[in-house]
Amino acid sequence: MSSEEDERVSGTAGSPGEPVSAGGPPSTGEERPGAERPTGIASLPSSGAGDHPAPCFLRIIPLAALGYAYIGGVLLVFSLLVCRIASFIVRSPDPPAFLVLSSPLLLGALVVLYGTARAAWVRSPAPEGFEVTPGDSPLLFETLGLIRMELGGPKIHTVVITGEFSACLVRVPRLGIFGWHRNCLLVGLPLLQALSTGQMLAVLAREYGLLPGRGRRLRAGVCQARAAWMQLHRELEGRRGFGNFLLARFSLWYAPYFQSVSAPLARIHEFEADACAAAAAGKPQVATALVQAEMCERHLRENFWPLVSALRDTLPEPVTGLYRLMEEKLSEGPDAKQAQAWLEESLWKESGQGGTRPCLGERLRALAEPPQLPAPPVNSAARDYFPDLDGLKGTLDAAWRAGADTAWRERHERVRKAKARLSELTAKGQASPLGAGETLELADLTESLSGPGEALLFYQRILESMPRFVPALWAVGRIRLAQGDESGADCIEQAIALEPGRTIQGLEALYRFHMGRGDLEKTGEYYRRLSGQRESRQRARGEEKRQRVPARYMVPRKGPSVGGAPPPRAPRPEG
């Protein structure tokens, strides 16, 4: 239904393979503070599918129907109004005169009718990637057919291979918010390179389990309506007009409320998709696919993309053979100790408050499978699915190079200028002492080009002459914490005291540092401080938002004031 949501029913494991970015996407989970960290990877968070209360279907289903009924009602009422006015004009004794007299009403009804229909008819762009056919990958389409027979559900119309580390189903509506979807499966080549054929079967079955099918039509329909209304709400916020004002006012209340009420059901639907995958591929295969995808995504984000980003500093053009290099990196796999630490960290995360996407620990707990690091696949799903894998990698590589070319060249030029400026400042510093501003610039350039360890000395020099200089305090604290030096906490605390705007960011850094060291007492202390700061910021934002509401929307509350006495009336002017 949407361009961003596109009624995108899922995204497995995924992070987009940023062409020139070293990092992957932010994690959707939040670390659970204030509790003892698990001592081994066999420990799982206690949260699971039962954390949310069971949704009240008697409340959600009528609410979902209300949205469609409202749009249909507006279209019906104004269509009848237009027809009635036209009939009145035709049957009148003087049609031209009556047309002139009724033209304002007719024009207004037509504008509202057109605006509402156009707003509800949300179009979605075609998914980006390279469409494959059964001739390109017979085994992949045979697998999709078997999954459909096992789970029951609609047909997948197109399969598109992308360069992202993800798999998701995109439902593109033909009739706007009213549906009649085309189902498009997006599968990333990096994910195919990371998983075995059996693990990929579990991933594909999980994505298919989010579609309407046997025993899940109701929940899938509500989740589709949920995504559709939120996308429509975003569209209407950026496209206000007289014609769609009725739909915009209704969406302003309905879309956020419906999203909130249906969130528990959407969360249950995610767990049921995992159960569908278990029915098609088996619980152990689903569990290993979840862990393997999580570890490989982290491996690329921390051990592959930084290397690609570093090449921007030396190569004037994007690197060739990206997906060949990625396949080699995935076949190596992360270090066993590193992978175990990543797994423990992933298990010690939980879904954000109000989130509908379960985290890894919750999904494994729902499957009743222990968290284990799987053995690297002997042969990847990409090798099994695509006989002409080298041709596919070449096609995606050419597309990646074309998309990354501009940003890559700009970055290379910035680095070239930064190196020239660094050389200039270094030569100037050897001739005479630099001021605080130039020393800070020298430190920033050194950190960006040579790493934080080389820049630490320059930041410390600034503090020797200006001990209360916040940017230098912050940089020294940040670098020392990254090096495992607890003295960096004092610098962060000083920076927070001198510049309160850095409070939340500083407390988050200190919380992560002490949690990584296993210091539960300080972890709890910083968590409490961080929670208090976040609550204060939320209250301040709420108050600011309330003050920005126009006066005509501020409805005074009726009733007695404190103490039971009626509110005093304003005195009437005399005379």
Side-chain angles (χ1 to χ4, degrees), residues 52-64 222-223 226 230 253-268 354 356:
H52 285 290
C56 179
F57 286 94
L58 295 179
R59 182 184 182 190
I60 295 175
I61 295 175
L63 188 61
V222 172
C223 291
R226 185 173 186 267
M230 287 311 298
W253 162 78
Y254 176 80
Y257 180 68
F258 182 48
Q259 185 190 37
S260 175
V261 171
S262 60
L265 185 140
R267 181 175 173 85
I268 291 174
T356 60

Side-chain angles (χ1 to χ4, degrees), residues 258-414:
F258 182 48
Q259 185 190 37
S260 175
V261 171
S262 60
L265 185 140
R267 181 175 173 85
I268 291 174
H269 191 52
E270 294 283 342
F271 284 107
E272 288 184 343
D274 287 343
C276 290
K283 289 184 178 182
Q285 199 72 270
V286 177
T288 57
L290 290 172
V291 176
Q292 179 74 359
E294 184 94 5
M295 296 302 101
C296 289
E297 187 273 332
R298 183 80 177 267
H299 180 48
L300 290 179
R301 184 180 357 132
E302 297 197 6
N303 298 333
F304 177 75
W305 286 114
L307 299 178
V308 176
S309 295
L311 293 176
R312 295 178 300 175
D313 301 345
T314 57
L315 298 179
E317 297 181 355
V319 63
T320 58
L322 177 79
Y323 292 97
R324 176 182 55 82
L325 299 174
M326 187 182 298
E327 186 177 27
E328 294 174 358
K329 195 68 177 179
L330 287 169
S331 63
E332 295 174 4
D335 177 74
K337 185 177 180 181
Q338 188 182 43
Q340 180 172 339
W342 288 347
L343 180 56
E344 290 188 5
E345 183 179 341
S346 297
L347 295 175
W348 198 237
K349 289 179 180 178
E350 58 184 14
S351 302
Q353 186 176 6
T356 60
R357 290 298 304 274
C359 64
L360 177 63
E362 293 171 326
R363 296 171 74 176
L364 292 176
R365 185 177 178 85
L367 292 168
E369 287 292 323
Q372 296 177 350
L373 288 172
V378 178
N379 207 20
S380 69
R383 291 285 174 187
D384 292 336
Y385 283 157
F386 295 98
D388 187 19
L389 180 59
D390 293 336
L392 178 61
K393 287 191 291 188
T395 302
L396 289 173
D397 184 65
W400 176 82
R401 284 172 55 84
D405 185 71
T406 302
W408 187 288
R409 292 177 183 274
E410 290 176 353
R411 164 69 180 181
H412 182 76
E413 181 64 18
R414 286 197 303 269

